[in-house]
Amino acid sequence: MLSLVPTPIGNISDISLRSLDVLSAADVILCEDTRVTKKLIHLLKERHNLTTAEPQFLSLHSHNEADFVSKLTPEFFNANIVYVSDAGMPGISDPGQILVRYCLDQGIDYDILPGANAALTAFVASGFVETKMLFFGFLPHKGNDRSSALQEALFNGYTTILYESPKRLDKLLSELVIAAPERQVFLAKELSKRYQKFYRGTASELIPQMEKEIRGEWVVVIEASEAKGSSLSEQDILALDIPKKAASKLIAKITGENPKECYQRLL
């Protein structure tokens, strides 16, 4: 069968007893980076008495996951297969979901162990009382894709969680100063690690504090906005005195339909 095992996001003691049991029985360990996982196994042996046979370590990361899975056969899972990402829960901004889908399609047994997750840890630590949230992971790095993703993250009506690298945290805060200057933002750095730190305020209040703190991995939790959704329907658009080509573009924005196919349908 396949087992997806979450690993500590910083503090090695966050490993669960179930995770130790599954790792100890693993025949094959699929991992984002074999060097990182081998180091983790070594630490677990030293500090938590993990005992293992000699599992085979295979690299499975975001760049090769689809190709790797496409070459699998169901017989591969006759052994105890374990997948771990470098840190945290597999499948959350990390590989894993394609493996799970393969098991579903092939009728292969699988299990997902609960464990450490940076997004949920930061969400609880933020103190934002709205219990509904959206997780966006990493925003696109630049261009129109980033601009549109940021607008969606800011104006969806929910508390929004982002991951951000130290290289782009200052850029994100600068964007928030312009796009949502009054919005409260919560920053969590190095969760569960020795230098874990929390910050909360508007983006303009946070920028000066980041000058010496920019290093490290960050989770950004953004206070919910008032939803600015539209109740505009296709019939409302068709009632407007506008050309069908323009109407088809508006309808496609709402429904996700291909604009050309929508235009042909209207004709």
Side-chain angles (χ1 to χ4, degrees):
M1 65 177 293
L2 169 70
S3 298
L4 268 63
V5 176
T7 53
I9 57 177
N11 191 320
I12 192 71
S13 294
D14 288 337
I15 194 73
S16 72
L17 295 176
R18 282 187 66 200
S19 296
L20 291 173
D21 287 342
V22 171
L23 288 170
S24 69
D27 298 309
V28 178
I29 299 180
L30 307 175
C31 34
E32 268 194 287
D33 188 324
T34 56
R35 295 164 299 179
V36 171
T37 302
K38 287 178 180 179
K39 182 178 180 181
L40 173 66
I41 295 296
H42 177 73
L43 289 173
L44 291 175
K45 287 180 177 180
E46 282 190 340
R47 302 184 189 182
H48 294 280
N49 300 316
L50 173 68
T51 57
T52 67
E54 292 299 327
Q56 182 182 11
F57 292 87
L58 297 178
S59 179
L60 176 61
H61 47 73
S62 59
H63 300 294
N64 76 344
E65 184 181 18
D67 184 60
F68 185 99
V69 173
S70 71
K71 297 175 182 177
L72 289 177
T73 63
E75 289 72 28
F76 178 72
F77 296 92
N78 289 340
N80 288 323
I81 310 298
V82 171
Y83 176 73
V84 298
S85 54
D86 285 348
M89 174 64 74
I92 305 295
S93 286
D94 282 327
Q97 292 285 22
I98 298 178
L99 268 175
V100 172
R101 181 57 185 266
Y102 179 88
C103 289
L104 279 167
D105 291 343
Q106 298 296 326
I108 296 165
D109 288 339
Y110 67 93
D111 195 11
I112 314 296
L113 276 64
N117 176 261
L120 293 179
T121 303
F123 173 70
V124 175
S126 71
F128 295 137
V129 298
E130 298 84 356
T131 56
K132 293 181 179 180
M133 61 177 174
L134 289 178
F135 174 63
F136 272 66
F138 290 94
L139 294 177
H141 294 177
K142 56 186 178 180
N144 291 333
D145 288 344
R146 181 178 178 87
S147 298
S148 60
L150 181 61
Q151 287 297 306
E152 186 180 359
L154 288 174
F155 301 107
N156 55 62
Y158 298 99
T159 301
T160 300
I161 305 170
L162 309 174
Y163 287 161
E164 192 55 275
S165 77
K167 295 179 181 179
R168 284 181 293 277
L169 181 64
D170 187 62
K171 176 182 179 180
L172 175 62
L173 292 174
S174 298
E175 291 169 331
L176 293 177
V177 168
I178 297 171
E182 303 301 320
R183 196 81 63 82
Q184 287 288 304
V185 179
F186 178 81
L187 303 177
K189 172 186 178 180
E190 301 290 287
L191 284 168
S192 83
K193 298 179 183 177
R194 181 179 179 183
Y195 297 106
Q196 170 182 288
K197 289 188 178 180
F198 298 155
Y199 303 87
R200 179 166 166 163
T202 63
S204 59
E205 292 169 342
L206 293 172
I207 286 175
Q209 301 179 57
M210 295 301 106
E211 293 178 358
K212 297 181 180 180
E213 296 292 344
I214 202 71
R215 292 182 180 179
E217 297 301 320
W218 294 87
V219 185
V220 182
V221 186
I222 304 172
E223 181 184 29
S225 67
E226 291 185 8
K228 296 186 178 181
S230 171
S231 59
L232 198 64
S233 69
E234 179 173 319
Q235 292 304 314
D236 294 327
I237 294 172
L238 293 176
L240 298 174
D241 186 19
I242 59 175
K244 281 189 170 59
K245 193 168 187 178
S248 66
K249 290 181 179 180
L250 289 172
I251 293 169
K253 282 283 187 182
I254 295 173
T255 64
E257 187 177 359
N258 181 288
K260 291 183 179 179
E261 293 177 356
C262 182
Y263 179 59
Q264 291 299 319
R265 177 169 61 80
L266 295 185
L267 290 178

